Amino acid sequence: MRLSFIDEEIVALKEKGRYRFLRRLSTPQDARIVIEGEEVLNFSSNNYLGLANHPEVVAALADFAARYGVGAGASRLISGHMDVHAELEEAMARFKGAEACLTFSAGYMANLGILSTLGDSGATIFSDEWNHASIVDGCRLSRARVEVYRHADVTHLEELLRASSARRKIVVTDGVFSMDGDVAPLPDIVEVKDRHGAILVVDDAHATGVLPPGGRGSADAFGLSGRVEILMGTFSKALGTYGAYLCSTRRMVEFFINKCRPFIFNTGLPPAVAGATLASLGILAREPERLKALWDNERLFREEMGARGRRVESDTAIVPILVGSDGDTMAASRALFNRGVFVHGIRPPTVPEGTGRLRLTLMATHTAGMVRTAAERIDEVLRERGIGNDGTVAAKG
Ligand SMILES: *Cc1c(COP(=O)(O)O)cnc(C)c1O
């Protein structure tokens, strides 16, 4: 009786078509994977540059584990701050053109930390309505008032900033939005936050190692790195490892070391993972052709879809393909899987009601043939279901 609510909730999820379950992968996170025992092309990975299973990154992990052990053994402020953490933080600060860097054990943890530390009781956080769930949860953990502005709507953001009398104002946005792949309008956001004396936090989980010219993130892509107070991002996506960073001034990092609970009370990044991340950064700098291969695949996919009369809205490695209802979305994803192409379906509450979609991601390691196959199969599956460009189902004659 005491636990009957669990059965009820699971039944309700299944009835709504919102039940989630885990799929088993039996290979590295590569362009071709074996998932649920089936070999398929992988178009649902954040391993944008193929670094998650790069031999040099794997060797660095083993090497640093041999030198420092597997776990950090303590939180950073106690005894878990090792040479390799300091080296990684120096390398990241250089890479981002910032004074200093602080690493976290995950992007989720970093966002909880950044927003709860900056957002004290006198503060207001202004957050884009499509920001990542970890930002939403960071806002919840903070003691700040939270105001949500319409997606990428800088006019709305400015209205809210102007109306606010908070003594500390914090604006937070994804750099590349994780479900739609669009880039935040940073030039306008930077101008508006400066006009209203706000601090800007940019989450570059899907921009680091992805956006031109050098994979240094969305602020760098706009030439605005020096004007964003906090550049946050993760190692878990294009860099292929695990963990996250905050790049800012030395003063800001000092503040976080002293005040940020998700940093203070959490064991440091495993040294082996920090070492592997250093290797990833080295490859990213040394092999610009990896980034170029990713952009070539992005362009090729847009062309292939365009040739089939399907518009692609995004100009990053994340491509949303609108389907509509939850049921249609999951059926389309399943039909593609049966034809050897894995593209995950995304449903509410991750995206707004009625905007279920296939969320395709491109990788540098896809061949041109794989990209063409994906476009062809996606078009086939959508056409068979009568799904048009905007996700609407054409009237069946
Ligand atoms: C993935 C992601 C995170 C969380 O990072 P993890 O390292 O996986 O915890 C945070 N923000 C955005 C925008 C993300 O896409």
Side-chain angles (χ1 to χ4, degrees), residues 374-392:
E376 192 182 295
R377 302 284 147 80
I378 288 168
D379 181 53
E380 261 169 40
V381 161
L382 294 183
R383 232 168 343 103
E384 284 166 14
R385 287 176 169 64
I387 293 165
N389 223 336
D390 52 356
T392 51

Side-chain angles (χ1 to χ4, degrees), residues 48-49 54 213 283-297 363-365:
Y48 296 113
L49 299 176
H54 189 292
I283 296 169
L284 180 58
R286 200 176 69 220
E287 298 180 5
E289 60 273 20
R290 263 175 203 279
L291 273 167
K292 191 172 168 299
L294 176 62
W295 305 331
D296 285 347
N297 283 340
M363 293 193 278
T365 47

Side-chain angles (χ1 to χ4, degrees), residues 46 105-109 111 131-135 174 176-178 203-206 232 234-237 242-244 359:
N46 300 320
S105 59
Y108 194 102
M109 200 66 86
N111 279 335
N131 276 342
H132 190 262
S134 57
I135 294 178
D174 281 16
V176 169
F177 285 87
S178 57
D203 176 342
D204 269 341
H206 291 283
M232 173 274 175
T234 64
F235 304 137
S236 52
K237 293 184 174 144
Y242 197 72
R359 176 182 177 278

Side-chain angles (χ1 to χ4, degrees), residues 161-175:
L161 281 166
R162 192 181 299 120
S164 165
S165 57
R167 62 173 171 73
R168 187 187 302 168
K169 299 176 184 179
I170 300 140
V171 177
V172 59
T173 182
D174 281 16

